[in-house]
Amino acid sequence: MDYQSLLDNIFDEVNKKKERGKVADYIPELAKIAPHKFGMAFVDETGRLYTCGDAKEQFSIQSISKVLTLSLAFSILGDDLWQRVGVEPSGDPFNHLSLLEQEQGKPRNPLINAGAIVIADILVSHFENPKETLLDFVRKIANDSSISFDESVAISEKETGFRNYAAAYLIKSFGNLENDVDTVLDFYFHQCALRMSCEQLAKVFFIYANRGKCLQNNPYLNVQQVKRINALMLTCGFYDEAGEFAFEVGLPGKSGVGGGIVALLPEQFCIATWSPGLNEKGNSRLGMVALEKLTTKTGLSIF
Ligand code: GLN
């Protein structure tokens, strides 16, 4: 298939749209991003890369990082991980709190904020320098040392992340947080502040399309772990819009409020899109449209 023409075509069609959603402003640093940015990167099953638009520009990956920290925690703890966090979709917004109270501090899944905070706690307990370990992990998979944290975004989140503090204290009150709230959230805010481009994201998320192996063929996860993480992306990757994403696009994927989305078809391809305008559920508006076009035009989806 001529993936470059396909990508260029989709880009032109989608980029014409006037209604591009609203850039997240509850984290003040994110509000500064220009709303017209739009890029896509695609890696096919042979590892070949195709790009268009602003695919090389780094942005804040936000909740997309939850898949990466989950992978790191899963590779350390194995199935014991599921004693601390569930695997069911929440059907609620990413920062919702009431289920956490009802279900006694065990978050529904690792891809909502509460679940990612528990995963952050696991990494803080396990590693002497968890931020360095995470950076190292991502840089190695991407084979790219230019990936870093955006300190101004991390600070901005620390100053305004009141709901994350509320979630972390609630989890702590139920005994599901080993470390102190500030240490865990410092790590969590940094993982969300990872800066990556579509190109870098597509290369990193290739491991989930390639049975756990990166582009250089080094293994990071085993086949069973990849199966479970992809299942979580499909059912929980888009919060209360996970059903809509499966319905429209039909791929496992993950979004972030920085406007990025990654999605993949096992053994076939991985794609990353970036357009900072979000829909009312906090997912990139143009990214969703572009991915729907991709799977509809090609007939390639897990269904
Ligand atoms: N850092 C954001 C938060 O904690 C992540 C949310 C997201 O990308 N959906 O609110």
Side-chain angles (χ1 to χ4, degrees), residues 26-27 62-63 66 94 113 157 164 188 192 239 255-258:
Y26 76 101
I27 300 168
Q62 291 295 314
S63 283
K66 290 170 180 163
F94 58 83
N113 288 13
E157 285 216 52
N164 290 320
Y188 172 76
C192 291
Y239 322 112
S255 64
V257 292

Side-chain angles (χ1 to χ4, degrees), residues 56-87:
K56 288 185 193 306
E57 188 168 329
Q58 290 188 325
F59 58 93
S60 190
I61 72 165
Q62 291 295 314
S63 283
I64 296 174
S65 66
K66 290 170 180 163
V67 181
L68 303 172
T69 52
L70 165 65
S71 302
L72 202 49
F74 200 12
S75 62
I76 302 163
L77 282 195
D79 284 328
D80 288 347
L81 184 65
W82 313 119
Q83 288 169 10
R84 305 262 320 258
V85 60
V87 296

Side-chain angles (χ1 to χ4, degrees), residues 41-56:
F42 183 102
V43 178
D44 72 11
E45 79 276 15
T46 68
R48 198 163 157 196
L49 176 76
Y50 308 82
T51 61
C52 60
D54 299 310
K56 288 185 193 306

Side-chain angles (χ1 to χ4, degrees), residues 104-298:
Q104 287 159 25
K106 182 174 177 180
R108 271 284 168 105
N109 68 68
L111 302 183
I112 50 173
N113 288 13
I117 289 169
V118 169
I119 299 289
D121 182 56
I122 290 167
L123 298 180
V124 166
S125 291
H126 196 84
F127 295 111
E128 208 165 309
N129 193 338
K131 286 191 248 178
E132 277 306 308
T133 306
L134 175 63
L135 264 190
D136 219 52
F137 179 69
V138 181
R139 285 172 174 174
K140 275 207 185 110
I141 301 175
N143 195 24
D144 185 335
S145 57
S146 74
I147 299 169
S148 282
F149 301 118
D150 184 331
E151 285 298 331
S152 53
V153 171
I155 291 167
S156 190
E157 285 216 52
K158 193 176 250 174
E159 286 168 358
T160 54
F162 310 116
R163 297 188 73 88
N164 290 320
Y165 281 95
Y169 278 112
L170 203 49
I171 296 167
K172 181 104 183 149
S173 78
F174 285 110
N176 195 13
L177 208 72
E178 289 173 357
N179 300 282
D180 68 86
V181 165
D182 285 322
T183 309
V184 175
L185 287 185
D186 178 64
F187 176 80
Y188 172 76
F189 294 139
H190 277 82
Q191 73 168 77
C192 291
L194 269 170
R195 274 176 70 79
M196 289 170 71
S197 65
C198 287
E199 201 174 298
Q200 290 167 329
L201 275 173
K203 285 182 183 169
V204 169
F205 274 74
F206 185 69
I207 65 170
Y208 306 102
N210 193 37
R211 300 178 148 248
K213 291 187 177 157
C214 72
L215 279 168
Q216 285 71 36
N217 239 15
N218 305 321
Y220 285 90
L221 294 163
N222 67 39
V223 174
Q224 293 309 321
Q225 290 167 331
V226 168
K227 178 180 90 175
R228 302 215 189 290
I229 294 171
N230 284 346
L232 284 166
M233 282 199 257
L234 182 77
T235 54
C236 312
F238 296 80
Y239 322 112
D240 46 339
E241 204 170 30
E244 177 82 6
F245 191 80
F247 184 81
E248 295 286 344
V249 179
L251 297 173
K254 185 74 199 85
S255 64
V257 292
I261 299 183
V262 287
L264 59 106
L265 182 59
E267 327 253 310
Q268 299 271 344
F269 65 77
C270 173
I271 180 165
T273 65
W274 175 46
S275 168
L278 307 179
N279 64 20
E280 49 301 327
K281 309 272 178 160
N283 298 315
S284 170
R285 187 164 189 133
L286 293 198
M288 297 261 300
V289 176
L291 292 170
E292 187 278 326
K293 286 190 188 294
L294 176 81
T295 54
T296 302
K297 281 177 194 282
T298 59

